[in-house]
Amino acid sequence: MHPGRLPAWLAPLLLICGGLLGIALPLSSLFWPGSLSPPALWLSLCLDLLAAGALIHFARRSLQREAGIDNDNIVRSAISARGAVAWLCALALTGLYTIIYFGRQLPLGPSKTLHDWMAAHVYLWFSPLSQALRAAPADEWFFYSTLYTFAVLVFAARMLLKYRHNRYQILRTISVGAFQLGFGYMIPYLLIRFQQPEHFFSYFWPLKAEYLAPDHWLPALSQGAQSPALWFLGFGAMMSFVATPLLTMRFGKRWYCSWVCGCGGLAETMGDPFRQLSSKSLSAWRLERWLIHSILAAIVISTAALWINSVSGGKLLGQFSGVLANAYGFYIGKIFAGVIGVGFYPLLGSRVWCRFGCPMAAILGFFQRFLSRFRITTNGGQCISCGNCSTYCEMGIDVRWYAQRGQNIVRSSCVGCGVCAAVCPRGVLRLENAAMAGRLATPPMVELR
């Protein structure tokens, strides 16, 4: 049977069964320990039901209509227009991130924390998989990264179905899914299994601030060239200071933000239904510029302070560098990037962190704005001002303003996702890497003959 013609009741039934099983797993370990065994089978069944229900729902919705833009009910839906369902989803996501980041500090009884309860009744279901991958019991980070990767892959299928007409979207979606599964999940855990230091090869400083911190570098340097950690850190530094500028000058920031980055991977898959919620106001643009560059300055100062203090043996800055680094990790790394950055998808759009906070995006944006070949060219004569491009720009760029004028789009915030071009009914927009000359030229409003 064609996937688009499967019964309408099948997807909700599978999703409900998967959800109920997900609730039953911790309850069974709480009231009837050992009643659902083996854990790997029941966890697999739960995830399979959820994935199957989601895929059937995506297939039915996408394959029964033309490929591409799906405007149906988008401004009235309770999930895509900040309705009640959106608020419930935001509450659930922020709650999940709160448990992951702060569960060890939240008391639950006289001598227990919320993390202890989660470890005893939730994380244990992931332990067979954790043992297989990294030879260790599951903890909050394995639980989180497994769900994160699961979400990226399931919603990547949605993107492939929705934009099946667009080769750029197909390749980009496959790329973010592969990088998340391989470099953001499998490889770091397999390194642990083979007793090597955990390392995420798809994250670099300043996004991964600790990869340029002295407490990582000095132990690796002390072990000499035979230390795998030194090679891993060296690779990260090379990517930060050599490859990132060169690749951005050639391809724009899209090579990282929309093809490699795990944060971008979740935004481009699970966050796609919310991309239209990004603010296009002038005040949001002003806030974006100040905030993202302030956070970049903060991580540069914090990293420099750590090194100054380390080299001076703590004589110059005392506890200041540590306090600064901890404050950055708490307020920016956890609260902003995690709780707000993902938890507020259903309310503020899918790129809140990337647009307003990511220091890596700030550096990439600088190279893209001033030194990159990348631009989005426009054919203003074909624009019918439908506004789809601006509506679905997750970075809040008023793309239509440029399209109406036939002006190239060279913005530091553009992540090159290409959805503006994919949803344009007239083929007005085109992502290009061409010569630097003339990329910022503004065509005359009236051609004189």
Side-chain angles (χ1 to χ4, degrees), residues 69-143:
I69 190 170
D70 180 3
N71 280 323
D72 286 1
N73 210 29
I74 198 166
V75 298
R76 294 188 296 272
S77 167
I79 180 65
S80 61
R82 301 190 181 101
V85 178
W87 281 93
L88 289 175
C89 289
L91 186 64
L93 286 171
T94 53
L96 175 64
Y97 272 85
T98 302
I99 292 171
I100 297 296
Y101 285 138
F102 309 112
R104 292 178 183 269
Q105 289 80 45
L106 296 175
L108 195 67
S111 59
K112 290 187 176 180
T113 64
L114 183 56
H115 168 79
D116 296 329
W117 191 92
M118 291 290 290
H121 303 297
V122 178
Y123 304 153
L124 69 89
W125 295 97
F126 292 77
S127 281
L129 180 59
S130 180
Q131 291 285 359
L133 282 178
R134 60 176 195 166
D139 57 10
E140 68 268 44
W141 299 114
F142 185 83
F143 166 75

Side-chain angles (χ1 to χ4, degrees), residues 126-175:
F126 292 77
S127 281
L129 180 59
S130 180
Q131 291 285 359
L133 282 178
R134 60 176 195 166
D139 57 10
E140 68 268 44
W141 299 114
F142 185 83
F143 166 75
Y144 167 66
S145 61
T146 301
L147 293 186
Y148 193 104
T149 304
F150 177 78
V152 168
L153 296 179
V154 169
F155 281 89
R158 173 185 176 276
M159 289 291 288
L160 293 174
L161 289 167
K162 181 178 180 181
Y163 294 107
R164 60 190 182 278
H165 67 302
N166 189 301
R167 189 177 65 171
Y168 183 81
Q169 296 301 323
I170 292 173
L171 294 176
R172 190 176 65 81
T173 302
I174 292 173
S175 175

